[in-house]
Amino acid sequence: MMTNIIISGVGGQGVVTAGLLLSEAATIKGIHVVMSEIHGLAQRGGSVSVDVRMGDVYGSIIGKGEADLIIGFEPIETMRAISRAGRNTFVIMNSEKITPISLSMNDKEYPSNAELIGLADKSVTIREINAVSLAKKAGNYRAVNTVIIGAALALKVLPFDKAEVLAALNNKFSGKIYDINREALDLGIEQIQLNQTA
């Protein structure tokens, strides 16, 4: 058994924290995990990419076409990661745009999310969610990563259940912050379930 997850976004969005939470949930389930991070000027809003491999794996880098799940915290960064998707890859894309400096310096407009999704291979399943709005509804916009993890749980791609994620959240947060993240997890799960029944 093997599950390969790519998480991409920009510095400050909680990309690495999402990778750590997923890794901890897998470890609680008793699954072997290997994780690696690539930072590009992360503290200045640069790209951040995290590869998380679970199961019978040795190396930490996910090859082209080998991702089971791509989690994109930002639309352009999602499309950057989607080049590593295969035919059976699920993609969760947060709709919040963060304009890269390269666009604003050249007076170029940020493309619409529909235009970006149109560039992707049609065999890839992309689920777009407004994770920031849901995190704010839960009580704190910083819970975006937990909303997205909830969405990933609802897709049933992860090799563990909600109980392991709650245990991982409980190990990292306490009190009100834990409660907010638990609510954010539920909102992420509900959002995907609503989309599937619509």
Side-chain angles (χ1 to χ4, degrees):
M1 182 208 76
M2 182 189 309
T3 304
N4 292 322
I5 305 164
I6 298 170
I7 311 168
S8 70
V10 300
Q13 285 191 295
V15 174
V16 175
T17 300
L20 292 171
L21 285 169
L22 289 171
S23 297
E24 184 154 354
T27 301
I28 290 168
K29 182 78 173 186
I31 299 169
H32 173 67
V33 179
V34 180
M35 176 177 146
S36 67
E37 310 162 18
I38 299 173
H39 302 254
L41 297 175
Q43 293 184 1
R44 297 183 185 179
S47 299
V48 179
S49 180
V50 174
D51 285 11
V52 182
R53 305 190 73 206
M54 302 172 181
D56 301 325
V57 297
Y58 298 99
S60 60
I61 303 299
I62 299 169
K64 190 172 182 178
E66 295 180 348
D68 298 296
L69 173 66
I70 293 174
I71 297 173
F73 276 67
E74 198 281 328
I76 285 180
E77 294 303 325
T78 303
M79 292 305 123
R80 198 185 312 269
I82 217 167
S83 65
R84 296 166 67 193
R87 291 193 170 275
N88 299 314
T89 304
F90 285 94
V91 179
I92 298 170
M93 183 180 88
N94 178 26
S95 60
E96 181 192 35
K97 297 176 180 178
I98 299 176
T99 304
I101 294 172
S102 57
L103 279 183
S104 56
M105 285 181 64
N106 293 303
D107 287 331
K108 292 185 177 178
E109 289 189 25
Y110 196 114
S112 71
N113 289 354
E115 288 175 305
L116 289 171
I117 290 172
L119 297 174
D121 186 322
K122 302 299 180 245
S123 66
V124 176
T125 304
I126 301 175
R127 304 293 173 97
E128 181 180 357
I129 65 169
N130 188 334
V132 173
S133 172
L134 294 172
K136 287 178 180 174
K137 185 177 178 182
N140 191 321
Y141 75 95
R142 291 185 177 179
V144 165
N145 43 23
T146 308
V147 170
I148 293 175
I149 289 171
L153 269 176
L155 289 176
K156 302 191 183 306
V157 180
L158 302 174
F160 46 78
D161 299 317
K162 181 179 172 182
E164 286 82 25
V165 176
L166 287 173
L169 289 172
N170 194 41
N171 288 344
K172 180 155 184 68
F173 306 115
S174 61
K176 185 178 178 182
I177 300 300
Y178 171 77
D179 292 340
I180 289 170
N181 279 277
R182 188 181 61 198
E183 175 69 12
L185 186 73
D186 285 339
L187 289 172
I189 292 169
E190 289 170 13
Q191 185 65 45
I192 292 298
Q193 290 173 339
L194 285 172
N195 290 348
Q196 288 173 335
T197 57

